[in-house]
């Protein structure tokens, strides 16, 4: 691995502020970020990457390679929750296994954004259709997790009369705030074209890294708080999370090779496949699978998968992709 790239990633301001946020909890500082500010930062990041993705789609015509990548995104969004459920089921009940499977099948937009900032620092860019792929990957896992949970209950003769509230579930999956703002900004960015981009660039790009840095400070606080729950989730869940991340990365890298994605697009795709949702899925699971324990699926996604990806994973995936492409 390129240790210079790894060191640069760790010394990147957003990542350093993630550690600073963790220090808030470890050193018992009275620093607090209100829920309203945290929500604004989350929506801002989704708006920015969606708008930038729409602008990139406006600039570059859709090609067969893009279609293949979107198909790969859908495949991973459906395949990951199914196979990961059976891994978690070895030790956990069906409700917690399904919620965890949904979390791994969905994606982390903040990990995606951090990877984009890493790429930009090395002079690489990704194309707008990858943002569309991210939007496609967020919802299917939520639906599949609930279906898997209901099938598990039926098999174990629990709550046989409980039906899936399809209208509520599909609405949550496809019109949640994160999906809505991401897809909406993507469409607006595409329709407004170059003039729209020039108008919003000071907001969507110039201050982007600063607000990302502040958001990762907030996520560092959240991650450190959830780390208190690591003793409860146990070695099995930590090991399972690492195994699933490894499997997803290997499959994703193979797909990038088959499709022959450029390095920038390839890294973003691998990062999407390696990440786990700690925002959209927990919100949906709270309503659709209330029996699942949030301290399990939230801790695994936020305190294990997320830090590994932003600290070690992104530069490691980047190096592997460069080796495969023969550019090292």
């Amino acid at each position: 691995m390129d240790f210079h790239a790894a060191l640069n990633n760790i010394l990147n301001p957003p990542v350093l502020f993630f550690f600073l946020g963790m220090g808030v909890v470890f050193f018992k500082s009275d620093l607090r970020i209100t829920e309203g500010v945290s929500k604004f930062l989350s929506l801002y990041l989704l708006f920015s990457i969606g708008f930038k993705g729409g602008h990139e789609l406006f600039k570059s015509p859709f090609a067969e390679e893009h279609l293949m990548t979107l198909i790969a995104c859908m495949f991973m969004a459906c395949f990951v929750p199914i196979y990961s459920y059976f891994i978690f089921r070895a030790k956990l009940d069906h409700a917690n296994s399904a919620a965890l499977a949904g979390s791994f099948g969905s994606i982390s937009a903040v990990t995606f954004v951090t990877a984009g900032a890493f790429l930009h620092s090395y002079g690489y860019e990704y194309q707008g259709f990858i943002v569309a792929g991210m939007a496609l990957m967020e919802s299917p896992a939520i639906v599949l997790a609930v279906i898997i949970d209901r099938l598990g209950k039926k098999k174990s003769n629990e709550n046989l009369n409980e039906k899936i509230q399809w209208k509520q579930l599909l609405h949550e999956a496809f019109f949640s705030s994160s999906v809505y703002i991401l897809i909406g900004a993507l469409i607006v960015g595409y329709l407004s074209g170059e003039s729209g981009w020039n108008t919003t660039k000071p907001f969507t790009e110039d201050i982007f890294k600063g607000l990302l840095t502040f958001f990762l400070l907030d996520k560092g606080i959240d991650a450190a708080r959830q780390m208190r729950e690591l003793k409860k989730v146990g070695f099995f869940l930590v090991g399972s999370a690492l195994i699933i991340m490894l499997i997803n990365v290997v499959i994703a890298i193979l797909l990038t090779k088959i499709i022959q994605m450029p390095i920038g697009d390839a890294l973003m795709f691998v990062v999407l496949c390696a990440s786990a949702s700690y925002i959209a899925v927990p919100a949906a699971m709270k309503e659709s699978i209330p029996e699942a324990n949030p301290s399990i699926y939230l801790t695994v996604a936020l305190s294990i998968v997320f830090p590994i990806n932003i600290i070690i994973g992104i530069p490691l995936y980047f190096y592997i992709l460069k080796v495969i492409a023969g550019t090292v």
Side-chain angles (χ1 to χ4, degrees):
M1 183 173 132
D2 186 348
F3 289 101
H4 179 69
L7 182 62
N8 281 347
N9 183 60
I10 293 174
L11 296 179
N12 206 18
V15 178
L16 287 174
F17 267 82
F18 177 80
F19 290 127
L20 192 66
M22 296 180 75
V24 168
V25 176
F26 297 149
F27 300 122
K28 298 180 180 179
S29 168
D30 62 354
L31 175 63
R32 296 290 181 270
I33 296 177
T34 64
E35 185 178 347
V37 172
S38 180
K39 183 67 175 178
F40 164 75
L41 292 170
S42 176
L43 290 176
Y44 166 79
L45 293 176
L46 290 167
F47 160 76
S48 295
I49 60 177
F51 199 91
K52 182 179 179 181
H55 175 246
E56 292 298 324
L57 284 176
F58 174 80
K59 292 197 304 180
S60 56
F62 196 78
E64 182 181 349
E65 168 211 323
H66 302 160
L67 176 62
M68 294 299 295
T69 301
L70 294 179
I71 292 173
C73 288
M74 286 297 295
F75 166 75
M76 292 299 287
C78 296
F79 174 66
V80 172
I82 293 172
Y83 92 78
S84 58
Y85 169 79
F86 291 102
I87 292 177
F88 292 122
R89 196 69 179 90
K91 290 271 186 171
L92 300 176
D93 60 86
H94 55 76
N96 283 304
S97 298
L100 277 164
S103 182
F104 275 90
S106 189
I107 53 90
S108 164
V110 182
T111 311
F112 181 92
V113 171
T114 308
F118 173 87
L119 270 180
H120 185 72
S121 68
Y122 280 88
Y124 289 84
E125 295 294 340
Y126 60 89
Q127 299 180 69
F129 73 93
I130 284 288
V131 179
M134 180 177 70
L136 286 174
M137 292 180 76
E138 187 160 25
S139 300
I142 295 173
V143 178
L144 280 171
V146 176
I147 292 173
I148 290 169
D149 172 64
R150 298 302 188 271
L151 291 176
K153 287 178 179 176
K154 186 175 182 181
K155 188 176 181 180
S156 58
N157 295 319
E158 298 177 24
N159 298 321
L160 290 177
N161 295 323
E162 185 176 354
K163 295 180 180 179
I164 300 176
Q165 301 297 321
W166 286 109
K167 184 177 179 180
Q168 178 183 343
L169 175 61
L170 293 175
H171 187 273
E172 178 67 32
F174 294 102
F175 291 97
S176 63
S177 60
S178 57
V179 176
Y180 188 81
I181 192 69
L182 181 66
I183 296 178
L186 183 79
I187 294 171
V188 172
Y190 178 78
L191 293 177
S192 59
E194 201 65 36
S195 62
W197 172 252
N198 291 333
T199 301
T200 61
K201 187 179 177 183
F203 183 67
T204 54
E205 183 164 314
D206 294 349
I207 65 171
F208 178 85
K209 195 165 184 178
L211 290 182
L212 169 63
T213 300
F214 202 74
F215 186 65
L216 283 180
L217 171 69
D218 181 38
K219 291 301 105 182
I221 297 172
D222 290 344
R225 285 173 180 162
Q226 288 300 134
M227 280 183 178
R228 296 171 179 172
E229 303 291 328
L230 282 178
K231 292 181 181 179
K232 297 179 183 179
V233 302
F235 289 111
F236 168 75
L237 281 176
V238 174
S240 298
L242 295 176
I243 289 170
I244 291 170
M245 286 181 70
L246 178 62
I247 293 172
N248 292 349
V249 167
V250 170
I251 296 174
I253 289 174
L254 289 174
L255 288 172
T256 65
K257 182 67 174 176
I258 293 169
I259 299 172
Q260 297 184 333
M261 296 184 202
I263 288 179
D265 298 339
L267 177 65
M268 303 307 282
F269 175 70
V270 173
V271 165
L272 286 174
C273 295
S275 66
S277 171
Y278 55 82
I279 297 176
V281 169
M285 295 302 102
K286 185 177 180 180
E287 298 296 328
S288 301
I289 312 181
E291 303 90 346
N293 186 352
S295 68
I296 294 178
Y297 55 79
L298 192 56
T299 300
V300 170
L302 186 55
S303 296
I304 299 174
V305 180
F306 180 64
I308 289 174
N309 272 322
I310 67 165
I311 298 169
I312 303 170
I314 292 171
L316 178 60
Y317 311 149
F318 182 64
Y319 177 75
I320 293 172
L321 290 167
K322 288 181 71 177
V323 169
I324 292 173
T327 59
V328 174

